[in-house]
Amino acid sequence: MSSRCDSASHCFAFEQDFIGNWRCIPLCVRRKLDLCGVKLKLNHWLQLSKDQRQTLVDWPDGADAIEQLRQHLRDCTSAMADGMAKDLPPVSGAPWQQLAELPAAVQEAATARGVLMTLEQWAQLSELDRFALCKLARPGHDHHNLEAAFSEVLV
C-alpha cells in the first residue's frame, strides 16, 4: 500500500507527461484547491508562470497553509483576463476523506478493470491516493489514467 511522505506535493507517475512543464493541473494541486475552496480554471493555471505553478505544487497542505493558499490564488488571479479564481465551499467530508466507506464509483471502476479493492486497502491509502481514485473514477470523467492510478496506488 502507498504511504507517501509528502502527499501535499506528490505527483503520480501517470502524470509524468506534464510534470515540469505543468500544462495540466496535477492532482496534488487539485486536492489543495478542493481543500481551500478555490475554482482555478485551466486558463488561470496556464497564465501563471512556471515558477508560480511549481510553487503551487510545492505548497504545504496544513490548515494554515491551505487558508493562505486561498488568498494567494486570489492575489495571483485578480488581474487575469478570466477574472479572479472563484471561491467554492472548502471540501469537508468528501468521499476521498472517508476511511470507513469505499466509494461506489471507485469500487465499480475497480471491479470493471478486474482490480480487487477492499475497504481495508482503501483505508490504508494516503488521502491524495484516495482523492486521485475518486477524481479519476467519477462519472463523466474520461478514465484514461484510471488503470495506471490503480496500479500505482495499490502496490
Side-chain angles (χ1 to χ4, degrees), residues 1-18:
M1 253 3 94
S2 171
S3 60
R4 304 206 194 290
C5 299
D6 187 10
S7 285
S9 61
H10 173 79
C11 291
F12 293 96
F14 61 81
E15 297 178 298
Q16 288 299 318
D17 61 333
F18 61 83

Side-chain angles (χ1 to χ4, degrees), residues 10-78:
H10 173 79
C11 291
F12 293 96
F14 61 81
E15 297 178 298
Q16 288 299 318
D17 61 333
F18 61 83
I19 292 174
N21 66 19
W22 301 126
R23 62 180 173 78
C24 296
I25 303 172
L27 287 162
C28 65
V29 173
R30 291 174 59 192
R31 179 180 152 271
K32 289 181 272 195
L33 294 171
D34 279 11
L35 290 171
C36 75
V38 172
K39 171 64 175 164
L40 189 72
K41 296 178 182 178
L42 183 58
N43 285 346
H44 288 126
W45 175 256
L46 294 174
Q47 288 179 56
L48 296 171
S49 71
K50 186 177 171 186
D51 286 345
Q52 287 175 308
R53 288 180 249 169
Q54 186 64 54
T55 295
L56 296 178
V57 170
D58 295 336
W59 201 281
D61 63 358
D64 289 343
I66 289 296
E67 185 53 40
Q68 292 166 5
L69 177 60
R70 178 189 271 264
Q71 188 57 50
H72 176 75
L73 290 166
R74 286 179 182 142
D75 294 344
C76 287
T77 60
S78 63

Side-chain angles (χ1 to χ4, degrees), residues 112-124:
R113 286 157 183 79
V115 174
L116 175 63
M117 178 105 193
T118 66
L119 179 59
E120 181 181 14
Q121 287 172 307
W122 175 255
Q124 291 176 7

Side-chain angles (χ1 to χ4, degrees), residues 89-124:
V91 170
S92 178
W96 50 270
Q97 295 173 313
Q98 306 299 315
L99 298 178
E101 185 176 342
L102 178 56
V106 173
Q107 182 64 68
E108 289 164 13
T111 301
R113 286 157 183 79
V115 174
L116 175 63
M117 178 105 193
T118 66
L119 179 59
E120 181 181 14
Q121 287 172 307
W122 175 255
Q124 291 176 7

